[in-house]
Amino acid sequence: MATGAAIGVEILGSSIAVELADAAWFESLSAERELSFTLAGRSFGTHFRATRAQRAPLAAFAPEVALADGGWSWGVLAGRPRDASKDFDDALRDLPLADALARYRELVAGGKLGEYGGLLRDWLRANPERTGDVLVLLQGGEFAGEQVARAGLFWALGSADTVEARAALVGVVRQWPDPAHQIAAAQALAMVQRPSAEMIEVVARSAGREDLHAVERGAMALALGAIAQRSEAHSPEIAAQARAEIRGWLQLRGDDEQLGHALLAAGNAGHEALAADIRPYLDHESATIRRHATHAMRHLSPETAYPRLEERLGDGDRVVRTSALETAAAIARRTDRAPTAAMIDLAGSRLAGAHVAEERAAVSLLGEAARRGDARADALLREHLRAQLADPERDPQRLATLARSTPARWQAGR
């Protein structure tokens, strides 16, 4: 990257066009910003963002039912989710496995999971009794060295959601000798629409197996958290069982490795019920554990997470502070709730002289606050922008990051 080259910059300003209307906040409004950079006469980055809003008048709602319209169907709304395992093309019934795999490999070459994974998923739904035959081939090395094809197979097993596919995945986690297959099966179980207590038990047990590498145990713990999070809507009692396993790990207070895995699982589960179990580890003596704990709060509510993240923004460890900034920004983005004033001030204090990762996280948090109308965050970003522009050794990448986060219309050129 060239250094010492001058970059000419002109800030055109920020503008919002609003058309007012009687008895309404606005009739229409628009906001735009555009940023372009050139270095030594060559463009190296552009950024443009536009927002448009139009007030839509409410019209009278007067639906009509035409009995002769074939698009209507009549009956009683079902009280349970539709069984997706029955959705498949009848042409796949009795299609030989060899032919199905040949078509599968052709589609894998196209690189679209929805196509190649969908084909195998639908074949498994159409021929559930042949599920075991697929696993026999897999165990015999059918997809050795074909990582994408093997991953697609487990995706198909998880999304098929047949009795046979669920049983096959449980069997792989419980009995197969290859940890890679076990982990892939555990992750596929998180896709199942109707998980069972047996699935929770087998994945939780695998997460504590001494014969697995620490990374493999961590992957199992993450899978359990994912099962808890994804099953909440359809099987809340199973989700609660998975959370109970994770809570047990957190309360056990094992070594740093075990705690790290437990916190990773809690973060994947993303439920307020685990907040009290995560909280003590925000003050743990290990910076690694504190970092895991801050990351584990990313799916919690602002009311729960923001007060504790404020504390960690003042942590003595840079990586912990960076994690807290990233987590707070993620929560603001997900919930559309601006960070607190204290968090904005703390983020602002990390802009000057901070490590690149921490500065980027602070800019991200301030950007989320500024986009939600916080004048203090906007002022901090603009002040930092001016300091960057005045630096003779300005970094184009840092300027581009600021451009994505500063709500303004400005253009840069040679």
Side-chain angles (χ1 to χ4, degrees):
M1 180 175 64
T3 60
I7 299 177
V9 179
E10 179 184 2
I11 300 178
L12 302 179
S14 176
S15 64
I16 299 177
V18 182
E19 180 185 357
L20 301 178
D22 294 336
W25 285 31
F26 66 89
E27 183 70 27
S28 67
L29 62 85
S30 64
E32 293 184 359
R33 78 173 182 203
E34 184 176 5
L35 169 68
S36 66
F37 283 104
T38 60
L39 180 63
R42 297 180 62 186
S43 175
F44 63 82
T46 62
H47 178 71
F48 177 79
R49 177 173 294 175
T51 302
R52 301 282 188 275
Q54 182 78 35
R55 187 171 66 90
L58 295 177
F61 180 62
E64 295 183 1
V65 176
L67 297 179
D69 184 352
W72 286 92
S73 61
W74 308 96
V76 178
L77 184 64
R80 63 178 60 183
R82 181 176 55 84
D83 184 2
S85 68
K86 306 300 181 184
D87 293 345
F88 56 83
D89 186 347
D90 283 339
L92 293 174
R93 290 186 188 273
D94 301 321
L95 177 70
L97 175 56
D99 294 347
L101 290 181
R103 289 174 56 183
Y104 176 68
R105 281 195 165 91
E106 290 177 3
L107 292 172
V108 166
K112 295 183 179 180
L113 177 60
E115 294 181 0
Y116 64 81
L119 168 70
L120 195 54
R121 173 201 62 200
D122 292 351
W123 185 88
L124 289 166
R125 289 174 175 177
N127 306 277
E129 72 284 354
R130 303 294 308 279
T131 302
D133 296 338
V134 177
L135 292 186
V136 168
L137 291 176
L138 178 64
Q139 214 168 10
E142 176 71 18
F143 294 100
E146 299 178 72
Q147 185 174 358
V148 173
R150 189 182 68 176
L153 185 152
F154 280 103
W155 183 91
L157 285 166
S159 57
D161 209 22
T162 63
V163 173
E164 293 80 3
R166 294 194 294 270
L169 290 171
V170 169
V172 172
V173 176
R174 175 179 286 141
Q175 299 174 349
W176 280 32
D178 186 348
H181 286 147
Q182 294 173 338
I183 292 168
Q187 293 168 338
L189 285 173
M191 302 173 61
V192 170
Q193 293 295 318
R194 295 178 298 279
S196 65
E198 182 185 23
M199 296 178 190
I200 303 300
E201 292 169 0
V202 71
V203 176
R205 188 179 307 116
S206 295
R209 285 173 44 186
E210 293 296 331
D211 60 316
L212 293 181
H213 187 275
V215 174
E216 294 163 347
R217 290 195 295 271
M220 288 293 186
L222 283 168
L224 183 64
I227 294 173
Q229 195 274 330
R230 296 178 186 176
S231 62
E232 180 64 31
H234 298 295
S235 304
E237 70 287 351
I238 297 300
Q241 179 186 347
R243 290 196 302 271
E245 293 283 354
I246 296 170
R247 181 177 295 110
W249 296 343
L250 291 170
Q251 293 175 349
L252 186 61
R253 296 181 179 272
D255 58 30
D256 284 6
E257 177 193 297
Q258 294 169 325
L259 286 177
H261 294 166
L263 288 166
L264 290 172
N268 261 16
H271 199 281
E272 294 288 310
L274 291 172
D277 302 287
I278 296 170
R279 195 171 293 125
Y281 297 106
L282 293 166
D283 301 315
H284 196 273
E285 61 183 8
S286 166
T288 299
I289 296 301
R290 296 198 303 276
R291 175 173 60 84
H292 285 318
T294 58
H295 186 63
M297 303 188 80
R298 66 192 182 278
H299 292 302
L300 302 184
S301 68
E303 293 82 3
T304 299
Y306 280 172
R308 298 312 305 269
L309 290 173
E310 282 183 12
E311 300 173 8
R312 295 281 61 83
L313 288 179
D315 196 280
D317 186 88
R318 172 180 54 81
V319 177
V320 175
R321 293 194 305 270
T322 302
S323 177
L325 288 165
E326 292 171 342
T327 300
I331 293 172
R333 193 176 305 115
R334 175 176 56 84
T335 64
D336 199 25
R337 292 277 300 279
T340 65
M343 297 169 76
I344 290 167
D345 287 339
L346 287 165
S349 70
R350 306 314 307 172
L351 291 176
H355 185 272
V356 173
E358 186 175 7
E359 179 197 23
R360 187 181 297 117
V363 167
S364 177
L365 184 145
L366 292 171
E368 294 300 329
R371 276 188 282 272
R372 287 157 183 80
D374 191 286
R376 171 66 174 155
D378 185 75
L380 287 167
L381 284 172
R382 291 175 186 276
E383 180 182 350
H384 189 51
L385 173 61
R386 286 191 291 271
Q388 290 291 312
L389 293 173
D391 187 347
E393 296 185 2
R394 60 181 67 87
D395 185 340
Q397 291 183 350
R398 287 189 173 187
L399 285 173
T401 299
L402 276 169
R404 289 191 294 269
S405 299
T406 306
R409 176 184 175 88
W410 58 293
Q411 185 173 3
R414 182 174 173 80

